[in-house]
Amino acid sequence: MDTLSGSSRSLREAFSLARTTVHSRHGAHQITALHETRRQLSPIAQEHGDQPQPEIPVYAPPTSGLLSMVPKSWVPYAELVRIDKPTGTYYLFFPCLFSTLMAAPLTDPITTPATALGYSLLFFSGALIMRGAGCSINDLWDRNLDPHVTRTRLRPIARGAITPFKGLVFTCFQLLAGLGVLVQFPFQCLFYGIPSLLFVGSYPLAKRVTYYPQFVLGLTFSWGAIMGYPALGLDLLSNVPALTSAACLYASCVSWTVLYDMIYAHMDIKDDAKAGIKSIALKHDADTKKVLSGLAVTQVGLLAAAGYAAGAGPMFFLGSCGGALASLGFMIKRVNLKSVKDCWWWFVNGCWITGGTISLGLAADYVIRYSKREGKLESAKSDPEE
């Protein structure tokens, strides 16, 4: 019996070895055939401009740039607030700057350049803090979605470097810091600033229920277009020109936000479709440039209406409105929506090209109007009859 059992076991081992050898050879033939097929298809893919499938990224601690100078234990939190990617902060700040420069000539006496600059710097600090808080809230909402998107799977909460509880506590501290900045403004700004938190918290939810979460993001990121007016002491409820100007400027900035975030959304369009994340890029993929063109015209038209209500001069209409229309038209024509790298380039640089152009036009208009007002005051002082 022992001999028979040993012989049977030997036969089984021999058959198993033979089967493994056959499978290994078959697998080797398959791998060789796969590489051969890829080699043959590579020129075809290049000819048609197809992008190769992205490799799954592996996290590596930062060795250069701003994050490399941060203590290791702080790196996940610095990544959470995107401190190494400040473009979002700039996009949040520009509407604040627009409204400050547009509101400054409406005050009586006219706002001094020092005051306008001081509030602009205060707005920038608030934008830096609140953009970080918005990123934290977004990542907490998306902690189960981010691992399925190539670009976001290594975010600190998604990869487990920060627990959701620690992320929540950190977010609370950020919001308190934002409140600390807000109370530096005139008291009435509290009534205008606090409601924006509703949009900050609801944007991540929007992309689960609608194809237009970019509109909700626009309502959030454009809130600063209202804040410059009360910051400089203008009561929007009793000042019709200021209210009209603020409403048109806010709507203009919402259009701008939807425009640039639609380009941004094209970077994740394939992963979003797989993960079930909704976006305007998915909804209008075939007609994106038509939608972008419509948004650009809407943005510039509303910007012009805001300037008209505020009594802006030719420098604003030529510099801000004309410059914005030219820069947006050029971007829409040139951006390659099928290229992640190109979409990212225009998202980053379009911020400065369009936002900077609008700001320069507003600043020039403000300086001209300030100089004229000061000139009239000097003339009145020098004329004893007046």
Side-chain angles (χ1 to χ4, degrees):
M1 289 293 291
D2 290 341
T3 303
L4 289 173
S5 177
S7 300
S8 176
R9 186 163 54 252
S10 299
L11 285 172
R12 284 198 303 271
E13 290 175 354
F15 279 123
S16 177
L17 179 61
R19 186 166 58 250
T20 302
T21 303
V22 169
H23 282 308
S24 298
R25 289 177 179 175
H26 181 62
H29 285 307
Q30 285 182 322
I31 293 172
T32 302
L34 176 61
H35 283 299
E36 181 63 21
T37 302
R38 285 179 176 174
R39 186 184 65 78
Q40 294 174 357
L41 289 177
S42 180
I44 299 175
Q46 293 177 2
E47 179 184 348
H48 289 278
D50 293 338
Q51 296 292 326
Q53 289 296 320
E55 296 181 1
I56 297 177
V58 178
Y59 180 77
T63 56
S64 61
L66 184 60
L67 289 176
S68 65
M69 297 183 284
V70 176
K72 289 185 178 180
S73 59
W74 295 7
V75 168
Y77 294 94
E79 292 174 328
L80 183 63
V81 300
R82 320 282 200 271
I83 198 171
D84 58 324
K85 299 173 182 176
T87 303
T89 298
Y90 305 145
Y91 272 121
L92 189 60
F93 168 67
F94 269 122
C96 302
L97 182 61
F98 298 163
S99 63
T100 301
L101 292 173
M102 189 167 284
L106 295 177
T107 61
D108 188 19
I110 190 170
T111 301
T112 64
T115 301
L117 177 61
Y119 277 121
S120 296
L121 293 175
L122 201 56
F123 272 127
F124 183 79
S125 63
L128 179 64
I129 293 171
M130 290 308 298
R131 186 264 179 149
C135 290
S136 300
I137 293 171
N138 180 79
D139 287 8
L140 284 167
W141 271 101
D142 290 353
R143 63 187 182 275
N144 296 322
L145 291 177
D146 282 345
H148 302 287
V149 178
T150 302
R151 187 178 55 83
T152 61
R153 67 185 303 272
L154 293 181
R155 285 178 176 173
I157 294 178
R159 72 172 189 267
I162 298 176
T163 64
F165 177 74
K166 289 182 178 179
L168 182 61
V169 172
F170 180 62
T171 302
C172 290
F173 279 108
Q174 289 176 281
L175 294 175
L176 285 174
L179 180 61
V181 173
L182 184 59
V183 296
Q184 304 304 311
F185 290 92
F187 182 73
Q188 61 178 336
C189 288
L190 284 171
F191 300 103
Y192 290 97
I194 291 177
S196 66
L197 293 177
L198 294 174
F199 296 121
V200 174
S202 62
Y203 164 68
L205 176 63
K207 56 189 171 184
R208 291 163 168 79
V209 298
T210 176
Y211 279 102
Y212 301 98
Q214 282 72 26
F215 178 70
V216 180
L217 184 69
L219 297 176
T220 307
F221 264 61
S222 304
W223 201 261
I226 299 173
M227 296 298 295
Y229 297 84
L232 296 182
L234 292 170
D235 183 6
L236 293 178
L237 298 181
S238 60
N239 190 321
V240 175
L243 177 61
T244 305
S245 176
C248 292
L249 183 62
Y250 178 62
S252 173
C253 290
V254 171
S255 300
W256 186 36
T257 305
V258 177
L259 190 158
Y260 67 67
D261 204 55
M262 188 175 188
I263 294 174
Y264 183 85
H266 269 273
M267 295 193 296
D268 300 328
I269 194 167
K270 293 181 180 179
D271 287 336
D272 285 350
K274 293 177 183 177
I277 301 173
K278 300 178 186 294
S279 77
I280 192 173
L282 277 171
K283 183 68 173 178
H284 299 284
D285 185 23
D287 301 306
T288 294
K289 294 212 171 185
K290 292 180 181 178
V291 176
L292 292 176
S293 298
L295 288 168
V297 172
T298 301
Q299 178 196 343
V300 176
L302 288 167
L303 180 63
Y308 179 78
M315 282 300 298
F316 165 76
F317 292 102
L318 290 174
S320 295
C321 300
L325 190 62
S327 64
L328 290 171
F330 184 74
M331 178 178 68
I332 293 169
K333 182 178 180 180
R334 293 297 299 275
V335 64
N336 179 6
L337 297 170
K338 301 300 181 184
S339 169
V340 172
K341 183 180 294 186
D342 202 52
C343 287
W344 175 251
W345 192 94
W346 281 106
F347 173 76
V348 172
N349 293 281
C351 173
W352 288 105
I353 296 171
T354 302
T357 299
I358 295 173
S359 299
L360 288 174
L362 279 165
D365 179 70
Y366 163 61
V367 170
I368 292 172
R369 295 167 74 180
Y370 179 79
S371 300
K372 288 182 177 179
R373 190 86 62 90
E374 288 297 299
K376 289 181 179 180
L377 289 175
E378 290 296 326
S379 298
K381 289 180 181 178
S382 62
D383 189 341
E385 294 184 0
E386 296 185 13

